[in-house]
């Protein structure tokens, strides 16, 4: 139930055609699982909290390092050496005291991913490696909850939204390809753009507005300031979401 | 038969920032091999010892993904072949 304070705080977005108090109420009732609170996770968390999401459940095992601060805007010099989830929760709690922030300072593994996601309504992928992204995608398919993918490299970024059973999943897109986990180049403005796109997709999905970034991979080339798309057809033989998968454990 | 290739911006350092080029070939494999013939510095980056595209990269034909990921997929004159690096950073 929206309070008088909620109505004041979110007045400008409630005004948006099709959004209304109903949309705001939906946001308030939603629990988001945010995997990673680094470069992508920072803007995602900030804008979901700003929009009035009900519960933000953040998982990240890392501690803040000086080299994170060019892009991970939720973490400041005073947080170096501290847990990222604690650092993020402290800022977000001051930003909006009405949001439930849950923190998980654990590594996401095949053994614990289902439990960590718990009863969240959707998963946002703000990780820095492909294996964990695949795990999260598989978990989203198994739990039949949406998955919001984003990734960055230098001045490039990509994003795609997955609706289990309906649209292409991350495995349809990358077919299990692997990339060595090495330090990657990036400037803060790139995850800022891609993270905001992911947060926008989450809000649209919850409120039920617009067309989602499904069956499409959005490519952002900041150096040429170009957005392009690839059509991603669902793979009927995808081992995660295809006809023969079916056995994915919840 | 001429195919239009576009490569990810991260390859720009190996191609003098040329990201769009024309190659000759009737399949994805032939086109990729013509690409590395024109830009030899891309060869070690893109192709494995069997001449297949390495797993860190992906390709799209006419801006759509391809199943199965088959290097022998035929291409027609005027088709567009995108070669991209699978980015993973967050």
């Amino acid at each position: 139930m929206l309070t008088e304070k909620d109505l004041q705080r979110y007045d400008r977005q409630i005004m948006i055609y099709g959004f209304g108090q109903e949309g705001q109420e939906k946001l308030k009732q939603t629990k988001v699982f945010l995997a990673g609170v680094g470069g992508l996770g920072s803007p995602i968390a900030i804008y979901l909290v700003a929009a009035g999401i009900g519960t933000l459940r953040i998982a990240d095992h890392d501690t803040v390092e000086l080299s994170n601060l060019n892009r991970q805007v939720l973490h400041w010099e005073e947080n170096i050496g501290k847990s990222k989830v604690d650092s993020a929760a402290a800022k977000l709690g001051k930003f909006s005291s009405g949001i439930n922030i849950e923190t998980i300072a654990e590594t996401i593994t095949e053994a614990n991913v289902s439990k960590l996601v718990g009863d969240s309504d959707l998963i946002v992928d703000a990780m820095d490696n492909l294996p964990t992204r695949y795990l999260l995608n598989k978990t989203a398919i198994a739990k039949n909850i949406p998955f919001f993918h984003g990734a960055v490299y230098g001045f490039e970024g990509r994003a795609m939204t997955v609706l289990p059973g309906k649209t292409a999943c991350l495995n349809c897109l990358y077919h299990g390809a692997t990339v060595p986990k090495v330090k990657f180049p990036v400037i803060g403005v790139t995850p800022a753009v891609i993270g905001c796109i992911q947060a926008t997709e989450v809000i649209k999905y919850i409120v039920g507005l617009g067309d989602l970034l499904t069956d499409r991979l959005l490519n952002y080339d900041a150096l040429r300031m170009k957005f392009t798309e690839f059509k991603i057809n669902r793979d009927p033989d995808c081992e995660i979401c295809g006809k023969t998968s079916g056995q994915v454990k919840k | 038969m001429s195919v239009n290739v576009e490569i990810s911006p991260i390859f720009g350092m190996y191609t003098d920032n040329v990201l769009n080029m024309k190659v000759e070939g009737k399949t994805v494999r032939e086109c990729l091999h013509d690409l590395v013939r024109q830009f030899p510095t891309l060869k070690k980056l893109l192709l494995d010892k069997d001449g297949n595209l390495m797993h860190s990269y992906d390709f799209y034909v006419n801006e759509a993904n391809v199943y199965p990921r088959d290097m022998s997929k035929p291409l027609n004159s005027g088709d567009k072949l995108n070669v991209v690096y699978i980015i993973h950073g967050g």
Side-chain angles (χ1 to χ4, degrees):
Chain A
M1 187 77 179
L2 297 177
T3 63
E4 193 53 43
K5 200 172 159 190
D6 288 335
L7 293 173
Q8 278 182 42
R9 182 166 189 140
Y10 305 114
D11 176 51
R12 294 299 186 97
Q13 61 199 48
I14 287 171
M15 287 171 68
I16 297 171
Y17 177 73
F19 202 107
Q21 290 187 25
E22 193 184 333
Q24 195 60 50
E25 183 64 41
K26 285 178 184 169
L27 284 173
K28 193 172 184 177
Q29 297 305 322
T30 300
K31 181 190 279 196
V32 169
F33 183 79
L34 176 59
V37 68
L40 287 169
S42 291
I44 293 167
I46 289 168
Y47 281 100
L48 290 181
V49 166
I53 204 78
T55 301
L56 188 63
R57 188 171 167 88
I58 312 169
D60 199 314
H61 71 275
D62 250 342
T63 52
V64 179
E65 295 175 26
L66 181 60
S67 63
N68 299 150
L69 304 191
N70 80 320
R71 64 197 184 281
Q72 303 186 13
V73 294
L74 264 179
H75 312 303
W76 304 342
E77 288 181 1
E78 66 192 37
N79 305 119
I80 290 170
K82 304 277 169 53
S83 147
K84 284 190 183 175
V85 289
D86 290 343
S87 161
K91 317 295 188 332
L92 297 169
K94 283 182 189 169
F95 182 23
S96 183
S97 56
I99 310 292
N100 299 314
I101 308 290
E102 300 177 358
T103 57
I104 301 166
E106 287 183 51
T107 304
I108 298 170
T109 67
E110 183 138 28
N112 69 11
V113 63
S114 184
K115 191 184 78 179
L116 297 186
V117 173
D119 63 350
S120 300
D121 297 296
L122 56 91
I123 297 173
V124 188
D125 166 17
M127 294 304 302
D128 60 358
N129 68 89
L130 275 174
T132 312
R133 295 177 188 282
Y134 289 137
L135 266 183
L136 292 164
N137 173 67
K138 188 175 165 184
T139 304
I141 303 291
K143 288 180 178 278
N144 196 28
I145 57 176
F147 177 71
F148 298 84
H149 166 66
V152 292
Y153 188 100
F155 277 97
E156 284 183 73
R158 295 189 191 134
M160 186 173 91
T161 297
V162 176
L163 300 179
K166 293 178 182 163
T167 69
C169 80
L170 197 69
N171 197 65
C172 296
L173 172 64
Y174 292 137
H175 37 79
T178 53
V179 175
K181 193 185 174 192
V182 290
K183 191 161 78 172
F184 61 92
V186 65
I187 184 162
V189 287
T190 309
V193 170
I194 297 298
C196 283
I197 287 169
Q198 290 176 274
T200 306
E201 286 288 287
V202 169
I203 292 166
K204 283 162 53 191
Y205 169 77
I206 295 168
V207 177
L209 284 176
D211 299 319
L212 295 171
L213 194 52
T214 49
D215 294 327
R216 296 181 284 152
L217 178 68
L218 183 71
N219 296 279
Y220 170 54
D221 174 357
L223 287 181
R224 287 152 197 85
M225 203 43 82
K226 269 173 58 179
F227 284 93
T228 55
E229 284 183 12
F230 293 125
K231 167 79 179 149
I232 308 299
N233 297 298
R234 204 172 161 199
D235 181 359
D237 298 319
C238 173
E239 59 185 34
I240 301 302
C241 77
K243 282 179 292 199
T244 53
S245 59
Q247 280 32 277
V248 181
K249 200 178 154 195
K250 277 195 184 183
Chain B
M1 196 172 65
S2 186
V3 168
N4 301 305
V5 170
E6 182 172 349
I7 57 177
S8 281
I10 66 161
F11 298 124
M13 70 178 92
Y14 304 101
T15 62
D16 258 344
N17 278 326
V18 176
L19 301 181
N20 293 275
M21 51 280 280
K22 285 192 183 297
V23 299
E24 297 294 323
K26 292 178 183 166
T27 64
V28 170
R29 174 185 294 274
E30 287 179 12
C31 287
L32 287 176
H33 283 240
D34 191 43
L35 174 68
V36 301
R37 185 190 58 76
Q38 294 182 42
F39 298 92
T41 48
L42 287 177
K43 187 172 181 181
K44 273 192 177 171
L45 203 66
L46 290 180
L47 302 181
D48 65 18
K49 60 180 171 44
D50 298 319
N52 294 316
L53 188 64
M54 287 202 208
H55 280 294
S56 305
Y57 305 97
D58 211 348
F59 64 84
Y60 298 85
V61 173
N62 295 329
E63 298 177 342
N65 61 343
V66 174
Y67 298 119
R69 189 173 178 267
D70 187 355
M71 296 273 290
S72 60
K73 181 177 172 64
L75 296 177
N76 297 312
S77 188
D79 277 352
K80 186 173 182 188
L81 177 66
N82 281 85
V83 182
V84 302
Y85 178 56
I86 298 175
I87 64 176
H88 60 283

